[in-house]
Amino acid sequence: MKNITKMSVSDPPVLIPVPKPRSRYLNRAVVGQTSTERDGVGPMPCPDVQVDGHMNSEETYIKNEVSADDPSSQLHSTSEPPDLQAVQTNCSETSETLPWPASLPISPSSDPDPVKTADSMSSDDSSVTLNSSKSQDDLNKDDLNSDNAIFTEKLMDAQTELGTSQVIHQIPKSQNIQIKTERFKKPRAATIRVSRKKQTLPGSRQRTSECAVTQTSWLDVWKGRKHNVLWAALDGQLMSLWKKRTDKFTEYVFHVTSITNIRKQDQGHFSISLQKKQFEFMAHSEAVQESWLASLYATRGMDPVTTSKQHGPLVMKDPRKKVYTAICGYTFWIYSSKEDFNIGLGMMFVSMNIAAVKSTGRHSFSLITPYRTFNFSADSAKDATAWLENLNDVIRSALSYSEVAHRLWSSPCNKVCADCGAAHPEWASVNLLVVICEACAGAHRSMGSDRSKVRGLKLDNKVWTEPLIQLFILYGNKAANSVWGHNIPPAEQIGPDVSPDQKAEFILAKYRKGLYRKAHPLAASQKLLDQRLREVVCGPDVEETLSLLCSGARVLFSATDPAVPSAISVAEASGQALQTELLRHNEFVEAPDFEQTRHSEEQMEELHGKLDEERFLFSQENESAACDVLDLTEVIAVFDCSAGQTHEFEVLTLTDRLTCSADERNTLLGHMLHIMKILLAGAVVDDDLLGVCAVSRACLREGAALQCAEVWCTLQAGEMTIHSKQHGSRDTVILGAQTHCHLQRSEKCILLEFAERTLHMQFELELSCVRWYELVNGAVSSTTDGRQRTGSVPCAVDLCISHITQYGLKVEGLYRRCGVAPQISKLVDALRVSPRGTVLETDESSVLDVSGALKQILRQEMELIPNTHRPHWLRAAVLSDVKHRLLTYRKLLNQLHPDQHATLAALCGHLHMVQMHSQVNRMTAHNLAVIFVVTLFQEFAMNTGMVQLTRELIMLHVQIFTNHVEAEREIITAL
């Protein structure tokens, strides 16, 4: 009986990619021919392939595999044939039947090891399945183990002949090969809708390069089963993949000569093979896919990489892992393993002309760059010494410098140009405190010496005094760019390879127009700027001096008030040599004429978004590849803009404004919570962010002081929390009836006046400032106007609530712990006689006494819920439908006396704030409900439903007590 073997392939192409096939494969073997036959005969005809005649309505094609080693095949890949539906191949009946395994994965690596190959492929990779008269168990036992290597070699031989001949032949129908429609990997689905108002400068620069094959874009990348969205760049020699567009070190990098295979696929997919490793990419459009393929094809024929001077294993710390490293030319490459080194797939590389190396122990050394310090350890002291010697040799050969340059470059940030990033810059602007390359120095000179004083590191020796050298070593590019280049969009940052006109345009925008600067918080007032400059130069804070000079502070004070000393004389009198040196170089510099606003064209686009750790990924379709990525650390403000059934929040960066919307409130809150936790950098827990409606970065100063601090502020019901990352501290202020808010729009500042303090909050965007003013005013108005409209809170109750809110939110066991009974009785008597005249102490024991007095007043002297109303509340508590239950609560509240309603609202609002600090005070909403259910419902307190009701009055205070115009038709969402 004839053995009919059927192979099913789930993924095209038909051809199995064989990187760099040996020459004997090109002229000899065919499938079904033994090694003995190959050795004794010449070239044999390749197997024939016949298109299945059952296909009537659709044409069938065989897709050609694009081989990196076959330039002619690249021409066929430029046109994309229709999808392959089915192909049947019949082999000669007389040919020997191969022992096909039950399932054979096909990968470009052609790895004969089935276990290793299976691990390297995803669930969507192709598989070949045979149905033979031989049983499945027999195949597994006899054939898969013994003949797998022979079978793979024969299959590769047949593949090679197919790829070489490019001809379809016919053979008898004894074997059938069926190819199914390809199933492509897809990114995970989007989780939120995004409407982005992206601001683009008219005539914005496009980064260009002298290399014709330069290509950059966001791509969805699969390496085996691992999926990520990476910023990809091809410069003609290296293909680099970064997690963030602004990262300085890559996730993966490889030379184009390491590519063994390039394959075009449908739906924006294409793949690149490096011997046994394969990357699959997905572009967000066919145009981007075609651009990448054209650029990749253009790199064929490049010269191979230089051989490594030294290579070997090292242990890299932070995080600790074993790596394989190599010195190639003037670069230091880091690989995950020796296997990756052999195929040319690196993790990252370091240019040695911007690096320094030093020994840190017998077996260890550090590689220092402007952006990161790498710590390595070798297996022995001998190996560590060899690495140190070779790395220092490379650094010395890569650099030629004078003594001044050597000292300035000892600061890693000064080893690259402050404007374009070119290596070992040899010029500097002594008043701007930046080290720059020769090309950028020309653009600086074009602004005039009254803007930028350019000096050479190797020429102008007289200007390089010791204080000036120390200024550049201690501050230099790092401090200057934190001021002048604070908010440069990644798309506008230039590189070393841009044209001179682009460099000049960028440098004018940076230093003359100040488009990217970080303005000092006092920039709106010339008088305060000058006053603060004289204060700062008395101390060592050179960075704030730079910020003040950048914002227009005058070194020489106006002659209209000669009694006021100049900043230079103040610095000299204080013995601040570095401050004096910096001021002298800025003494006759013209005041900057900043362009305060960008003339932008606002464009609207609707996108789909999903969160990925510290990134926000955007795509044009729900499951399409990412077209853009936002680094969440660039966000400066988040506002909850939800109203009724519309669930939205707004995200602001220095250049973008995004509106995110979701169908459900919980989905929206989940996204907001994720972003807020990134912004506050672990300083908070989830419970701290419950009810937060706004988060913004601001500069804060208090009272008449001119010293400012950068903080993050959060706003929630009735309170504002100030988070200081620098000191790790947190301060909560209560927005009550005595809070006054004033808007200073021109300065992008709001002024908050409390009974005991005054806060100046300056924002980076006018929109953030106006939003905060509206929200704070709304919070204050709801606290005051709402009470006046619905009734009044007894003065004694209001005083106790305010005092506990201000001083007792962090007292552990608040309301659960009892104060001193005699002291509580005295407080109750005093509050009854003269509430405003009663002095309340702020220590912990006194706060507990005040809380005890509040409970006693509410229980003995007030009836918040009348006895006749309590049965109605009991029936409302057992309603199963949440929406109906909450609406019933609102109706029952409307039946209360206005004073009862106001007092109950004030109490529940206060308890809501107490439970928001439960991480510190240990008083959750349930604990508070157990305590106050007796105060509110007395004889009904033993009913478990009443405890749950009291908990809901506390947890859902805003939804239950807020007045709405159409309360009956409002949908209340339980958070």
Side-chain angles (χ1 to χ4, degrees):
M1 185 176 180
K2 299 177 180 178
N3 291 331
I4 300 176
T5 307
K6 185 177 180 181
M7 180 174 66
S8 173
V9 184
S10 62
D11 265 353
V14 176
L15 307 183
I16 303 170
V18 185
K20 298 183 180 179
R22 290 169 288 181
S23 59
R24 67 186 182 87
Y25 284 174
L26 298 176
N27 300 315
R28 294 176 183 263
V30 294
V31 176
Q33 193 175 13
T34 63
S35 58
T36 305
E37 293 170 335
R38 284 202 310 268
D39 294 337
V41 296
M44 298 292 293
C46 63
D48 295 339
V49 180
Q50 178 179 327
V51 177
D52 191 356
H54 293 90
M55 299 184 62
N56 299 322
S57 59
E58 298 182 6
E59 296 182 356
T60 304
Y61 297 86
I62 297 177
K63 289 189 177 180
N64 293 325
E65 179 75 14
V66 181
S67 173
D69 300 303
D70 185 7
S72 64
S73 64
Q74 297 167 6
L75 300 176
H76 298 282
S77 65
T78 57
S79 61
E80 184 178 354
D83 290 342
L84 187 60
Q85 302 296 331
V87 176
Q88 293 182 344
T89 303
N90 302 319
C91 298
S92 173
E93 297 180 5
T94 59
S95 64
E96 180 183 356
T97 301
L98 289 176
W100 292 76
S103 178
L104 175 66
I106 298 178
S107 74
S109 66
S110 305
D111 195 340
D113 186 352
V115 177
K116 189 174 182 179
T117 307
D119 290 340
S120 66
M121 299 186 65
S122 69
S123 58
D124 290 347
D125 289 338
S126 304
S127 63
V128 181
T129 306
L130 278 304
N131 298 320
S132 176
S133 59
K134 193 169 185 177
S135 68
Q136 188 73 29
D137 293 338
D138 292 339
L139 283 173
N140 290 336
K141 293 178 181 178
D142 302 333
D143 302 329
L144 180 59
N145 295 328
S146 62
D147 297 326
N148 182 61
I150 299 175
F151 161 74
T152 305
E153 185 176 357
K154 293 179 180 179
L155 191 59
M156 296 306 166
D157 294 344
Q159 146 67 20
T160 305
E161 287 211 20
L162 273 173
T164 307
S165 65
Q166 298 291 323
V167 180
I168 299 178
H169 302 275
Q170 270 193 334
I171 61 173
K173 298 181 179 180
S174 61
Q175 290 184 351
N176 297 324
I177 300 178
Q178 295 182 349
I179 299 181
K180 300 179 182 179
T181 304
E182 187 168 4
R183 294 176 298 169
F184 294 102
K185 298 174 183 176
K186 293 183 179 180
R188 60 187 178 89
T191 54
I192 199 166
R193 298 183 299 275
V194 179
S195 176
R196 181 169 66 174
K197 298 178 180 178
K198 189 172 184 179
Q199 299 179 358
T200 306
L201 288 173
S204 60
R205 286 179 307 275
Q206 297 296 327
R207 293 184 62 180
T208 60
S209 172
E210 298 176 359
C211 181
V213 295
T214 296
Q215 183 69 28
T216 57
S217 74
W218 288 102
L219 294 174
D220 279 70
V221 183
W222 286 268
K223 184 175 180 285
R225 290 186 177 90
K226 184 179 180 182
H227 169 252
N228 210 334
V229 176
L230 301 176
W231 177 253
L234 176 67
D235 64 2
Q237 293 186 340
L238 297 176
M239 183 161 181
S240 308
L241 303 173
W242 287 276
K243 190 169 185 179
K244 295 180 181 179
R245 192 170 177 174
T246 54
D247 283 351
K248 300 302 181 182
F249 297 103
T250 58
E251 297 289 311
Y252 303 102
V253 59
F254 51 86
H255 199 275
V256 292
T257 56
S258 300
I259 299 175
T260 58
N261 215 284
I262 305 168
R263 185 171 63 145
K264 177 182 178 181
Q265 299 168 303
D266 290 336
Q267 301 177 14
H269 286 254
F270 63 96
S271 64
I272 295 176
S273 300
L274 289 77
Q275 296 184 21
K276 296 182 179 182
K277 298 292 178 75
Q278 176 174 329
F279 288 91
E280 184 175 336
F281 301 92
M282 182 180 179
H284 69 273
S285 68
E286 292 186 1
V288 175
Q289 178 203 33
E290 292 291 344
S291 298
W292 271 103
L293 289 171
S295 296
L296 287 167
Y297 297 154
T299 63
R300 309 317 309 146
M302 296 290 296
D303 295 333
V305 293
T306 58
T307 57
S308 56
K309 182 177 182 180
Q310 180 181 355
H311 60 86
L314 291 173
V315 175
M316 184 168 68
K317 305 174 183 177
D318 303 325
R320 185 177 179 86
K321 63 180 298 186
K322 291 183 178 180
V323 295
Y324 201 86
T325 56
I327 301 175
C328 300
Y330 297 123
T331 57
F332 179 76
W333 283 68
I334 303 174
Y335 303 86
S336 292
S337 62
K338 186 175 182 179
E339 180 186 9
D340 284 358
F341 165 73
N342 291 330
I343 66 176
L345 176 59
M347 294 167 54
M348 63 189 75
F349 69 88
V350 180
S351 297
M352 298 308 296
N353 54 6
I354 64 169
V357 63
K358 69 175 183 178
S359 175
T360 56
R362 289 189 60 201
H363 296 178
S364 58
F365 63 92
S366 294
L367 186 65
I368 305 168
T369 74
Y371 318 109
R372 177 179 172 183
T373 298
F374 298 88
N375 298 303
F376 298 98
S377 61
D379 292 336
S380 64
K382 181 180 179 181
D383 290 344
T385 302
W387 279 108
L388 282 169
E389 291 177 353
N390 285 322
L391 288 171
N392 278 316
D393 287 344
V394 174
I395 293 173
R396 280 191 292 269
S397 60
L399 301 177
S400 59
Y401 46 78
S402 65
E403 181 182 354
V404 173
H406 172 57
R407 294 186 65 186
L408 263 61
W409 291 343
S410 64
S411 173
C413 292
N414 294 338
K415 280 195 170 183
V416 294
C417 174
D419 295 329
C420 71
H424 49 88
E426 298 180 352
W427 298 84
S429 173
V430 293
N431 64 305
L432 298 175
L433 217 59
V434 292
V435 185
I436 51 179
C437 66
E438 184 176 2
C440 291
H444 276 258
R445 290 192 192 95
S446 67
M447 291 193 297
S449 59
D450 57 344
R451 303 277 185 174
S452 180
K453 299 179 180 179
V454 180
R455 300 290 184 268
L457 305 188
K458 297 181 178 180
L459 302 175
D460 305 297
N461 293 328
K462 292 182 179 180
V463 76
W464 293 106
T465 62
E466 185 60 27
L468 182 60
I469 292 176
Q470 288 299 318
L471 270 175
F472 274 87
I473 294 174
L474 296 176
Y475 302 99
N477 285 356
K478 183 177 181 180
N481 270 334
S482 68
V483 175
W484 292 101
H486 173 62
N487 60 336
I488 301 176
E492 296 182 31
Q493 175 62 59
I494 62 172
D497 52 356
V498 301
S499 66
D501 289 342
Q502 288 176 310
K503 286 192 175 183
E505 182 183 354
F506 174 80
I507 289 170
L508 286 175
K510 183 177 179 180
Y511 298 105
R512 173 170 285 182
K513 298 180 181 179
L515 291 183
Y516 315 125
R517 67 169 179 148
K518 181 180 182 180
H520 194 276
L522 303 175
S525 172
Q526 184 66 53
K527 180 180 178 180
L528 293 180
L529 274 178
D530 297 340
Q531 181 181 343
R532 180 59 182 166
L533 180 63
R534 293 194 301 276
E535 292 179 3
V536 170
V537 296
C538 295
D541 193 351
V542 173
E543 293 182 355
E544 187 174 356
T545 302
L546 274 174
S547 177
L548 288 162
L549 294 173
C550 168
S551 296
R554 293 174 294 189
V555 177
L556 294 177
F557 195 67
S558 175
T560 57
D561 192 358
V564 178
S566 67
I568 291 181
S569 60
V570 172
E572 288 177 338
S574 302
Q576 297 293 329
L578 298 186
Q579 296 276 28
T580 304
E581 186 74 14
L582 178 60
L583 292 174
R584 287 201 179 281
H585 286 290
N586 284 274
E587 189 172 4
F588 300 104
V589 172
E590 185 177 341
D593 50 351
F594 294 121
E595 186 174 301
Q596 297 294 339
T597 59
R598 293 188 179 200
H599 304 290
S600 61
E601 298 176 358
E602 196 172 75
Q603 298 178 342
M604 180 72 70
E605 56 181 342
E606 302 297 328
L607 300 172
H608 298 264
K610 52 180 173 282
L611 294 171
D612 178 38
E613 296 178 352
E614 293 187 357
R615 303 187 303 167
F616 206 163
L617 312 180
F618 306 122
S619 58
Q620 295 174 346
E621 301 295 337
N622 187 27
E623 293 186 353
S624 63
C627 62
D628 201 1
V629 176
L630 171 66
D631 185 355
L632 291 178
T633 58
E634 298 176 7
V635 174
I636 62 170
V638 178
F639 297 101
D640 188 352
C641 306
S642 300
Q645 299 185 26
T646 302
H647 309 299
E648 292 181 347
F649 70 91
E650 195 169 56
V651 177
L652 300 180
T653 70
L654 290 170
T655 55
D656 284 345
R657 176 181 173 187
L658 303 94
T659 301
C660 306
S661 58
D663 295 329
E664 297 181 358
R665 177 70 176 168
N666 287 341
T667 302
L668 191 85
L669 292 176
H671 286 76
M672 283 185 61
L673 183 65
H674 181 97
I675 297 174
M676 290 176 183
K677 291 175 71 175
I678 296 296
L679 299 181
L680 299 176
V684 295
V685 295
D686 291 359
D687 291 345
D688 294 332
L689 298 175
L690 291 175
V692 171
C693 61
V695 176
S696 286
R697 187 171 66 195
C699 281
L700 185 73
R701 60 188 181 94
E702 189 163 355
L706 298 181
Q707 184 176 3
C708 302
E710 185 177 283
V711 297
W712 283 90
C713 301
T714 60
L715 184 67
Q716 48 203 134
E719 66 178 23
M720 181 179 72
T721 304
I722 302 168
H723 304 264
S724 174
K725 289 186 179 180
Q726 182 178 0
H727 303 97
S729 61
R730 183 166 58 178
D731 183 21
T732 300
V733 294
I734 306 303
L735 304 175
Q738 298 179 346
T739 304
H740 300 282
C741 183
H742 307 280
L743 174 65
Q744 300 172 341
R745 187 186 290 266
S746 61
E747 300 179 18
K748 294 180 286 190
C749 178
I750 62 174
L751 179 66
L752 290 174
E753 294 180 341
F754 301 92
E756 300 176 353
R757 62 193 301 194
T758 301
L759 298 178
H760 300 261
M761 296 176 59
Q762 186 174 49
F763 299 87
E764 295 170 90
L765 296 177
E766 184 178 338
L767 178 59
S768 297
C769 179
V770 173
R771 283 285 174 83
W772 267 84
Y773 173 72
E774 294 172 349
L775 290 171
V776 171
N777 258 344
V780 173
S781 299
S782 64
T783 304
T784 56
D785 297 345
R787 291 178 185 176
Q788 293 173 0
R789 183 173 58 251
T790 57
S792 61
V793 180
C795 190
V797 174
D798 186 57
L799 182 63
C800 290
I801 288 177
S802 299
H803 186 79
I804 297 169
T805 301
Q806 188 167 3
Y807 300 105
L809 293 180
K810 297 182 180 180
V811 174
E812 186 174 349
L814 181 67
Y815 290 117
R816 177 177 55 80
R817 293 166 58 190
C818 299
V820 180
Q823 189 64 27
I824 292 175
S825 299
K826 289 181 182 180
L827 273 177
V828 171
D829 294 339
L831 290 169
R832 185 184 298 115
V833 175
S834 176
R836 297 299 179 188
T838 304
V839 177
L840 303 179
E841 301 295 336
T842 59
D843 59 279
E844 182 173 318
S845 59
S846 298
V847 169
L848 293 176
D849 292 339
V850 175
S851 66
L854 176 61
K855 288 190 292 183
Q856 186 171 321
I857 292 172
L858 292 174
R859 189 166 49 247
Q860 296 179 358
E861 301 186 12
M862 297 190 66
E863 189 179 43
L864 292 181
I865 298 179
N867 187 36
T868 56
H869 290 202
R870 291 168 191 163
H872 302 291
W873 285 91
L874 181 61
R875 286 192 291 270
V878 297
L879 294 175
S880 58
D881 182 69
V882 176
K883 175 185 173 183
H884 188 201
R885 186 167 68 249
L886 299 184
L887 287 174
T888 305
Y889 294 166
R890 294 174 64 105
K891 291 179 181 179
L892 292 173
L893 286 171
N894 291 334
Q895 296 175 12
L896 296 176
H897 187 275
D899 290 346
Q900 293 173 328
H901 186 286
T903 305
L904 183 60
L907 175 64
C908 292
H910 165 67
L911 297 179
H912 178 80
M913 279 190 282
V914 172
Q915 64 86 28
M916 292 183 69
H917 295 78
S918 60
Q919 291 290 332
V920 179
N921 59 38
R922 306 298 181 187
M923 296 306 294
T924 63
H926 177 77
N927 293 340
L928 293 170
V930 170
I931 294 171
F932 280 89
V933 67
V934 179
T935 302
L936 298 180
F937 299 104
Q938 296 183 8
E939 70 272 13
F940 293 94
M942 299 303 294
N943 190 295
T944 56
M946 303 309 289
V947 176
Q948 177 65 21
L949 186 154
T950 307
R951 180 182 178 277
E952 290 178 336
L953 290 178
I954 297 171
M955 286 292 294
L956 306 178
H957 163 261
V958 176
Q959 290 90 329
I960 295 174
F961 286 93
T962 303
N963 289 326
H964 294 273
V965 177
E966 299 180 351
E968 296 297 327
R969 290 184 292 173
E970 183 194 20
I971 297 178
I972 301 175
T973 304
L975 299 180

